[in-house]
Each structure stands twice: as C-alpha cells, then as structure tokens.
Amino acid sequence: MTADWGEKSTAELMSRYVPKETGYDVPKDGWRICLAHEFKEKRKPFQAKDVSLSNVLGHIGLGIRYLKWWYKKTQVEKKAPFIDMFRAQPLRQIYGVPLGGIGGGTITRGWRGEFCRWQLNPGMYHYKTVVANQFTVCLRRDGLTVYQQVLSVERPPTLQGWNWGYCGEYAFYHALYPRAWTVYHLPGQNVTLTCRQVSPVIPHDYQDSSLPVAVFVWDIENKNDYPLDVSIMFTMVNGSGCKDDKGGGHWNEPFHLEKEGEAVSGVLLHHCTTVNPYTLCMAAREQPDREISHQTAFSPKGTCGGLWSDLIKDGRLDSPTGSSPPTPKGEKVAAALAVGCSVPAQGHNALEFCLAWDMPKIMFGSRERVHIRRYTRYFGTNGDAAPSLSHYALTHYRQWERSIDEWQQPILQDSSLPSWYKSALFNELYFVADGGTVWTELPEDSDVSGGVRTEDGGLPAQPAVVKEYGRFAYLEGQEYRMYNTYDVHFYASFALIMLWPKLALSLQYDIAGSVVQHDPTERLHLMSGRYSSVKAKNVVPHDIGDPDDEPWQRVNAYLIHDTADWKDLNLKFVLQVYRDFHLTQDTQYLQDMWPICQAVMESEMKFDLDGDGLIENSGYADQTYDGWAVTGPSAYCGGLWLASVCVMCKMARMVDSEEAYQRYRDILDRGSAAFDKLLWNGQYYNYDSSGRDLSNSVMSDQCAGHWFLRASGLGEGEYQAFPKEKIHSALKSVFDLNVMSFAGGQMGAVNGMRPEGVPDHSSVQSDEVWIGVVYGLAATMIYEGMRDEGMRTAEGCYRTVWERLGMAFQTPEAYCEKGIYRSLAYMRPLSIWAMQLALDASHKDQTTSDQTGKNDREQGPN
C-alpha cells in the first residue's frame, strides 16, 4: 500500500467537484465527498444463499431449525427476527453524520442532504428517505427573487412544484463527527452556502451529550458587488416516513419561547401514536436582523406549488396563527420554517436552525415497562420539552463546538498522524449515538445486583455510578439487534471507557448483576438443536436483550448457541474490569467487581480438563468466532485465558488477597508453559492444538489477550503472560500473511490465512475481514513498536469501507475480498479508539525515554 494509492483513493471522492470554493471554516481533516460522486463498486449483503456447500452440509440442522424459527417469528408473531438471514439490508451508499446526542434517538442525514435513517423508537431502525424534508434557498435582489432552489440533487416524482435537481458537481460534503459541513456553490449566483451540522456529542459530558437535538448553521458568502437578501426554508414532515405517519391524529402548531434574554420561535409537529408518541420541533433564534416566518401545515403530496410560491413572492412564509387540525387517517402533514437576512456586497452572514425531538418516555417491543430517557433529568418527562430543547441548543451550540474543538484539536494538529486516521477515529464514533442507543434513568425500584448483595459476594442494589449516570445500551449492530452484545463490546468498549467512562462502568454493573442470575427457562438453541436454560449462573450473558422484547429484564436474545458453553465471555468481563480500573482508578468499582470476577473465573476452571493451567475448547467454544470450529486449547481463547489469569494476579494484589494471588500465579505459570508447548510453532501461535489440517492457520486475532494486557498497563515484568519476542514474531507473521498477502495489502487483515499465503476458507468467518478486529490488531502492533505496520493494516480497512465501498456511517462487521459484506452499521469498529490509547501510551513512553536520556546526559558519567 503506497501513499499514492491512499491519495488517489481520497481524491476520487472529490474528482467531480467543479468550483474552487472550499467553504466557510471547513476543517482540513475528515471524510470529504462531492455530491455528484458515484461509487463504482456495488456489494451484496451476506445471506443464507452465500453459505458454501461444505458449510451447508455441516450445518443442515441449524439451517432447518433457523428457517422454522424465522417463519414463526415473521409470519406468525409478525415480529422482526433479531438477525434476519433472508432479508438483510441492501447497501445504500448514501449515509452521513447522524443527528442528535446519545440515547435519545437519532435521525441520519445522507451526504447528499437526505433525511434517510430513523431510530426514534428505541433500537428499531427503518430506512426511509422522506422527500419533503429539505432545505431550500431563496436569493432576492432589489426586492425581486432572482434564484430559488431546493438544495437537493434529487428529481423526485412528487412535489413537482418545487425546483429540484441541484447540480451535485457544485457541492461537497465533509464529515468530522459529531459535525458535518455541506458546501453549496450556487451556479451563476456568485454565492456560496456552507451548512454546518452540530450535535452535542461531547466526551465526559453527561448532560448535554444526552440531548435529542441538532443545530444547522448556514454561513452565506456573497461574492457579488451588490447586497442580497437570502432566505433558507426548512421543511419537515410530521413523522419519520413509516406507516404511522398516515395513522391520523397528528397536528402542528407554531410556538414562541423567550427566556434568559433570548427568544426562539418555530413549529411543533406533534406525532400522536399510541406507543412512544413524540414531538418534532423546527426552531430559529430571533435576532434583530433576522426575519423568521413559518407555514404551520401543508400537505407533502401533489405539486405543493402553494408553499413554493409563498416563498418566492417575498422570501418569507405567511405565518398563520393557531394550530392545524388533527390529520385524518391516510393523510400526512408537514410544516415549514424560513429565516432570512441581508448579506452585504463581498460580505458574509449566517442563519441558524435547530431540529429537536422529544420522546421522553419509551417502551420496548414487549410494552411491559415505561423507561425514562436520560435527557428528561434536565427537561422533564411531560412531552412538552421541545421548545426548551431548541432554545437551549440554539443558545449553547457555540459552547458545544468549543468543547468539541478542545477535544479534537490535539489529535487533528498532530502532524505525525495521517489524515485518514483522523477521519476514521472521529467518524467511527457515530455508532455511540446511532447504535440503536438508549440511555435511561435507573428506576427507583430497580435492583441491578441480580438479587445477590455485596455482603454475599454480589453488588449493591443501586450502584452509585448507575444511579447518577443512568443505564446505557447499544446494539451489536443495526441489523444484529441485541443490546450490549458482550463479546463485541469487548472491542468497542475502548470508545466508551476513554470518552464516557461513567457509561462504560454503568454497563459493566448491569452485566455483573446478570452474571449471578439464573434463568432456568428452557429453550431450543438453534446450533445444537438441544434445549437448555436461557441463562446459567456465574456466566456472563451474550447480551442484555432485544429492543423488540424487554432489555435488562430478559437477557440472551441470541439463541444460536448455548452461552453456558462459551469460554470467552467470562474472560472478557475480567479483562475489561481491570482495564476499566486502570483507566479510571475507581477503587469502589474494583472492590465491587472482584467477587464477580472470582465467580466467573471459577466457572471457567471446569474447562481446564487436564489440569495444565490452560482451558480447552470443543466445537464452537468462543462467541466471537462462533462459526469457526476449534478443538483443544486455541490461540484466541487460550490467550484470553492467560491474560485473565494475569489480571487476576494483579487484582488479587490490589485487594490484598495473597492466597488468591498465589493460586492464580501458579495457574499462570503452568498455563503459559502449556500454551507455548501446545500452540507455538516457531513463528506464531497455531489457530488451535488439534493437529487438524487447518489447525496451523494464522489467526489475525491471536494476540487479543496480550493486547488487553498492554491496554491495562500490564504485559511486562511480573504481569507478563506471553514472551515479548514471540508476540513480535506472531504479529510479524500476521502482517506478512494476513495483511500483505491478502488483496495486495490494501484491505486490512483477513481473519484466517494459511501459512502458504492463501485465505482459510474453512468457515464463513475465516475468510472475512472484521474491521473492529483489525483496529485492535493495529493497536497491538503499535504497543509492540510496529507503528508503521499497524497504521498500514488499519488504513486498508478505512480506505475499503469509506472510500471504495461507500459504507460511510454504516461500517459493517465484515467484508470478503470480493462480492459481499456482512452486518452493516456494527459496534465493533469503535475499537479504533484502542489505537488512540496505544498511540497515547507510546507517546508517553517516548517522552519518558527522552527525559531519562536528557537527565543521563546532564548528569554525565559517574
């Protein structure tokens, strides 16, 4: 992979952009694309038909059982399956930065300006572009309208009374989450508009980051020698493009709110559904030199020429008083808000809009309980907060942007970091808000301990961090609909623990509380065909539930495997506990988690079948690679086990338990010796120790245990589980084979590679690239002094996803070298923040080393 290849990949996205205008204060780094760009490569989602014949023959029982379950779920229960192997989302190469903070629902805008992906009902997505949701510009000179244009490249079959078909070659989009900029040069008008989109996603902020709002700032540059009057009109349908938009009973009303010396006005769109009703709000800040006008209600069908004519007449709307009547069944209603200002010759001015949505109380699919969203702590639960939310957003967004700049600038200004990395690091964070995310208050009657109190080796009923910061959950993926899927969160958790550590700890308490629970309900597990309990005691759950059911109340929505047989979930819990303590220094958290860690490690001991200090696998023994058969001790689970035992040694010392320390030290010494003896082949750790034909495959994730040790400040000296020279050799083998011998070294690391340099095709997963795993691998390389190799490895994934395949803001779990991808908009790629943690550590080590060298030079020889 050469620098030329990367530069060519980036330049291709902007190759059709015609003007020279760069927009108003648009940053240098980020993901940039011309609105006229077309992605050449069109990929298909992985579906049941893509399973190879050999894998089909090996999983006939699973296929039949899944088909029966899928039919019952979709045709009888009329519900969406938690994973739909027959109706995967097709790839739409359209998505941009989502609107909104964390946990209050999200609305995604496409990079061409569409409002096109909706998650207002918690965890449930629908993918509908609402055509009438647009921004329109009106230019007037000397009292006459000279230009009026919908700022959309589309030419829809509806709303024919509007001027569509803006030329995309005159505009570009720039994303640096949580902000985005769209620059429109208006052909023939000598005017450039820059729309800046701002959402309050701010690290270590647990108030404003929860708000369901976004601000649009329109910077207008007039390059003419005469002044212009400029109006921007914002139109919005009451709803989100789904069938309940026509359900009847929805209504709109204008509003005006003045407080603390600032006033806002706009239109409220009340969406009156039986379950999870909400209010949308379009608003603008009142200022002496701005004119705000509105149209309370219009029908978004037919030509809609009346609204267009209203604006074109004088650059403002009629602004009727009073509310609209409730919609009859079968009809939709929309509203419009326009703001105008004068822009001097060769001058600049700006207009501001806010979009807010207020759905304070939510129910999941089972409709058993009402949950209260986090932002209601500051804005109330009555469902009347939209005006106050918009007022707050319009008067605080500049402060948000200062906070965002303070966070991002040190990284953006670091010239040692490549531009693609800066884009990837911040833009992959979209999933924290747009992962079907919910952030709720802890009900007063809730008990997160699972019924086992602190004095009995359990947890407090309401741990302080959960009570103060609420409950947090995000989906495994927008298509893999399970909350807090723990084996995947293991990778993604770096983003949370580094940026919103209180949410990471809260999630850990929820998981810890479920560990001690036992749900004896028998159910069929689709892989084995056996019935077993939903949840075994002292085993970490796969997930905390399906948003179409009742999360937190019923865990383990995943019913492919029996989670009691998995080795890695418990180990990943232990590793995260110490990593989180290392990064937060929260001693209460460590004390609370220590007995839970002991309990889950005891449950792992049963897998040490021959007493050599190393756990063994059989069948599909870890959840992460649950489609890749494994026998005996393996590099992945064995490595996680040794790392967990090492961490237990460290925690035992911290809680002053010498007995526990000696026990785990003995296991670590014996286990490390067995691990080397059974798996080390002189260059890398074999996939497993079975001696099968494919047991010596090179697994890209073979050093995952060591990665977590290094991220926890361990992995050396007394707390070392793996010899440094062997880790370095293994990483070099992975780089040479899984990275550079795969797809010309330009697509990241394939999961499994044969020693002879061809991908391992033995399973669905072995010949895939998992973006989140690659970012973790890159972090491990950085820790081990292989920064160039780590960056090169990760760059292949970024270029493939964001620049070649058109998967911006929907990074999938996996792609193959050709043809297919799997599970769009997935949690695991948040692991790119592990790379930043590794870079921070290497920078700190270098600074320490430089200072030591300086001190030695100053002191001179003894």
Side-chain angles (χ1 to χ4, degrees):
M1 186 189 308
T2 65
D4 290 344
W5 171 76
E7 289 168 8
K8 181 180 176 183
S9 174
T10 301
E12 179 69 20
L13 300 181
M14 284 292 287
S15 63
R16 296 185 63 184
Y17 183 62
V18 173
K20 299 269 194 289
E21 277 73 10
T22 56
Y24 191 85
D25 279 352
V26 181
K28 177 173 69 77
D29 297 302
W31 181 71
R32 184 173 294 194
I33 185 168
C34 175
L35 267 58
H37 183 75
E38 291 287 342
F39 289 97
K40 297 187 179 88
E41 189 167 346
K42 312 290 183 184
R43 290 215 168 190
K44 302 282 188 186
F46 176 87
Q47 299 196 72
K49 63 182 175 58
D50 295 304
V51 181
S52 68
L53 180 60
S54 61
N55 275 304
V56 167
L57 294 175
H59 296 92
I60 288 176
L62 169 63
I64 293 171
R65 286 185 288 272
Y66 178 84
L67 183 59
K68 287 181 176 177
W69 173 83
W70 181 89
Y71 181 85
K72 180 184 177 187
K73 178 66 77 172
T74 59
Q75 306 304 310
V76 179
E77 298 176 13
K78 303 295 183 186
K79 290 215 163 195
F82 69 93
I83 297 177
D84 195 330
M85 288 295 294
F86 298 107
R87 297 186 298 204
Q89 279 297 317
L91 176 60
R92 301 172 72 203
Q93 296 164 315
I94 66 172
Y95 296 115
V97 169
L99 305 170
I102 299 171
T106 44
I107 301 169
T108 297
R109 290 188 78 212
W111 48 269
R112 291 190 179 102
E114 317 95 317
F115 288 75
C116 52
R117 185 170 68 196
W118 305 78
Q119 189 260 140
L120 297 180
N121 283 316
M124 306 300 290
Y125 278 85
H126 69 276
Y127 305 86
K128 177 74 173 178
T129 296
V130 181
V131 174
N133 292 359
Q134 298 291 345
F135 287 101
T136 296
V137 62
C138 173
L139 304 184
R140 292 171 59 77
R141 180 184 180 190
D142 297 331
L144 296 174
T145 296
V146 294
Y147 180 88
Q148 188 161 299
Q149 173 72 51
V150 182
L151 294 169
S152 168
V153 300
E154 304 299 326
R155 296 180 182 272
T158 58
L159 304 174
Q160 291 292 299
W162 297 9
N163 184 25
W164 296 90
Y166 173 85
C167 182
E169 293 178 352
Y170 287 84
F172 71 86
Y173 180 83
H174 187 95
L176 191 65
Y177 187 79
R179 291 183 288 184
W181 293 255
T182 312
V183 177
Y184 303 89
H185 182 67
L186 305 184
Q189 304 305 313
N190 241 3
V191 171
T192 300
L193 308 176
T194 302
C195 176
R196 185 169 83 256
Q197 172 187 308
V198 184
S199 293
V201 179
I202 303 163
H204 308 286
D205 179 305
Y206 299 93
Q207 176 175 321
D208 290 5
S209 289
S210 72
L211 303 183
V213 297
V215 172
F216 303 96
V217 182
W218 288 86
D219 284 294
I220 306 157
E221 296 174 275
N222 177 12
K223 305 291 179 65
N224 294 293
D225 292 326
Y226 47 82
L228 288 170
D229 292 323
V230 181
S231 298
I232 302 284
M233 178 175 72
F234 184 17
T235 50
M236 197 87 184
V237 171
N238 186 328
S240 57
C242 58
K243 62 183 181 181
D244 66 25
D245 291 2
K246 293 184 176 182
H250 310 314
W251 58 285
N252 303 342
E253 63 172 328
F255 80 93
H256 168 86
L257 175 64
E258 185 170 355
K259 62 180 181 180
E260 299 167 0
E262 295 277 2
V264 299
S265 56
V267 185
L268 302 173
L269 296 75
H270 302 291
H271 198 74
C272 304
T273 48
T274 306
V275 178
N276 297 341
Y278 62 91
T279 296
L280 289 166
C281 173
M282 298 187 294
R285 192 158 63 102
E286 296 185 2
Q287 294 171 273
D289 56 350
R290 305 287 187 277
E291 183 172 19
I292 302 174
S293 58
H294 70 269
Q295 181 54 258
T296 308
F298 69 93
S299 174
K301 67 179 184 180
T303 65
C304 208
L307 182 72
W308 191 260
S309 299
D310 188 7
L311 184 67
I312 212 168
K313 182 176 62 178
D314 55 7
R316 62 186 307 280
L317 301 174
D318 279 350
S319 303
T321 58
S323 59
S324 68
T327 53
K329 198 161 188 176
E331 295 294 325
K332 297 181 184 179
V333 67
L337 182 69
V339 187
C341 67
S342 294
V343 187
Q346 300 295 333
H348 161 268
N349 213 334
L351 301 172
E352 303 165 339
F353 291 85
C354 175
L355 177 64
W357 50 98
D358 183 25
M359 184 193 285
K361 299 176 181 178
I362 53 173
M363 285 195 285
F364 294 106
S366 71
R367 303 186 184 181
E368 292 175 25
R369 298 179 65 126
V370 173
H371 300 264
I372 307 299
R373 293 204 197 257
R374 166 73 174 186
Y375 76 87
T376 62
R377 178 176 290 205
Y378 314 104
F379 287 90
T381 61
N382 295 331
D384 58 1
S388 295
L389 282 165
S390 61
H391 186 283
Y392 187 87
L394 286 165
T395 54
H396 286 78
Y397 79 86
R398 289 186 182 85
Q399 181 180 317
W400 298 341
E401 291 198 279
R402 284 193 293 272
S403 298
I404 291 168
D405 283 336
E406 287 171 10
W407 158 45
Q408 294 185 338
Q409 283 307 312
I411 293 168
L412 297 177
Q413 292 171 358
D414 186 343
S415 60
S416 72
L417 297 174
S419 185
W420 70 262
Y421 172 76
K422 297 169 185 177
S423 172
L425 184 69
F426 293 115
N427 283 325
E428 290 290 8
L429 274 177
Y430 83 96
F431 197 85
V432 171
D434 201 19
T437 312
V438 288
W439 185 0
T440 64
E441 294 287 7
L442 182 67
E444 290 185 8
D445 61 348
S446 283
D447 180 353
V448 306
S449 73
V452 181
R453 293 285 188 273
T454 306
E455 57 271 19
D456 300 316
L459 299 169
Q462 295 206 342
V465 70
V466 186
K467 195 169 183 180
E468 176 59 29
Y469 295 99
R471 277 181 146 169
F472 176 85
Y474 58 161
L475 296 175
E476 179 176 337
Q478 290 179 10
E479 294 190 83
Y480 283 18
R481 212 183 55 242
M482 296 157 282
Y483 273 130
N484 294 352
T485 297
Y486 200 71
D487 67 292
V488 184
H489 172 69
F490 175 74
Y491 296 81
S493 61
F494 284 87
L496 281 185
I497 195 61
M498 291 172 70
L499 302 175
W500 293 276
K502 302 299 186 184
L503 296 184
L505 299 187
S506 173
L507 187 157
Q508 284 286 87
Y509 274 103
D510 268 326
I511 293 293
S514 66
V515 164
V516 300
Q517 294 178 355
H518 174 223
D519 182 350
T521 308
E522 295 275 311
R523 72 172 178 190
L524 177 68
H525 288 95
L526 300 180
M527 179 63 81
S528 66
R530 297 193 302 267
Y531 281 86
S532 57
S533 64
V534 169
K535 169 71 175 62
K537 188 174 182 179
N538 291 340
V539 174
V540 170
H542 171 273
D543 57 83
I544 60 134
D546 178 352
D548 206 23
D549 184 27
E550 191 61 41
W552 291 301
Q553 293 296 110
R554 283 186 288 280
V555 302
N556 279 342
Y558 185 80
L559 46 73
I560 305 294
H561 293 277
D562 181 355
T563 56
D565 292 334
W566 284 330
K567 319 297 186 297
D568 64 330
L569 293 172
N570 283 355
L571 305 177
K572 288 172 175 175
F573 176 79
V574 172
L575 289 170
Q576 285 188 74
V577 164
Y578 184 74
R579 189 273 319 266
D580 295 350
F581 167 74
H582 171 68
L583 294 177
T584 64
Q585 295 297 301
D586 188 327
T587 54
Q588 184 62 55
Y589 168 75
L590 185 69
Q591 290 169 4
D592 287 343
M593 295 296 165
W594 170 245
I596 310 296
C597 289
Q598 288 181 295
V600 299
M601 289 297 283
E602 282 303 315
S603 73
E604 292 289 295
M605 296 292 186
K606 66 178 181 285
F607 298 117
D608 181 6
L609 302 181
D610 53 11
D612 64 356
L614 194 61
I615 61 172
E616 299 187 24
N617 302 330
S618 60
Y620 303 93
D622 75 77
Q623 164 52 23
T624 297
Y625 300 93
D626 63 345
W628 198 352
V630 60
T631 303
S634 70
Y636 185 70
C637 266
L640 292 175
W641 164 255
L642 291 180
S644 299
V645 174
C646 186
V647 156
M648 290 298 285
C649 290
K650 178 66 174 176
M651 288 195 288
R653 278 275 160 88
M654 301 202 69
V655 298
D656 295 326
S657 177
E658 187 62 24
E659 181 183 352
Y661 173 81
Q662 292 299 337
R663 184 181 182 219
Y664 287 112
R665 183 80 250 175
D666 173 62
I667 295 170
L668 180 60
D669 292 343
R670 290 186 292 113
S672 295
F675 188 75
D676 274 4
K677 179 182 176 183
L678 292 168
L679 293 163
W680 182 250
N681 66 16
Q683 292 180 300
Y684 59 89
Y685 295 103
N686 286 337
Y687 173 65
D688 69 20
S689 57
S690 66
R692 296 176 301 131
D693 288 344
L694 299 174
S695 68
N696 65 337
S697 283
V698 187
M699 187 185 197
S700 66
D701 210 9
Q702 62 184 272
C703 298
H706 179 73
W707 164 41
F708 249 73
L709 289 179
R710 291 304 306 270
S712 304
L714 306 176
E716 297 176 314
E718 183 182 0
Y719 300 105
Q720 178 176 323
F722 311 93
K724 190 174 182 66
E725 67 278 5
K726 291 182 178 177
I727 290 292
H728 194 274
S729 175
L731 291 173
K732 185 178 186 305
S733 297
V734 169
F735 182 72
D736 291 344
L737 289 166
N738 301 59
V739 180
M740 298 308 294
S741 299
F742 175 73
Q746 295 185 357
M747 292 183 74
V750 68
N751 277 341
M753 182 64 89
R754 300 294 301 134
E756 58 270 24
V758 296
D760 181 335
H761 296 292
S762 64
S763 79
V764 167
Q765 298 176 340
S766 58
D767 64 356
E768 292 181 327
V769 175
W770 289 6
I771 297 91
V773 165
V774 171
Y775 289 151
L777 167 64
T780 316
M781 291 176 172
I782 292 167
Y783 279 121
E784 296 309 312
M786 299 170 65
R787 174 171 166 152
D788 290 347
E789 292 89 340
M791 283 295 182
R792 192 161 178 169
T793 298
E795 182 179 1
C797 283
Y798 174 80
R799 302 284 189 196
T800 300
V801 170
W802 290 78
E803 297 183 348
R804 184 177 135 203
L805 300 185
M807 294 176 174
F809 300 99
Q810 52 181 332
T811 304
E813 157 72 320
Y815 55 75
C816 292
E817 183 174 0
K818 295 177 181 174
I820 59 174
Y821 63 86
R822 186 165 57 81
S823 188
L824 288 171
Y826 200 74
M827 178 201 289
R828 202 185 318 259
L830 286 170
S831 62
I832 192 168
W833 279 85
M835 290 180 65
Q836 188 58 36
L837 186 66
L839 289 166
D840 290 345
S842 64
H843 178 72
K844 185 177 179 182
D845 290 346
Q846 185 62 49
T847 302
T848 303
S849 175
D850 291 348
Q851 185 61 47
T852 301
K854 180 183 176 185
N855 292 342
D856 290 344
R857 287 191 299 274
E858 289 174 351
Q859 291 173 7
N862 292 328

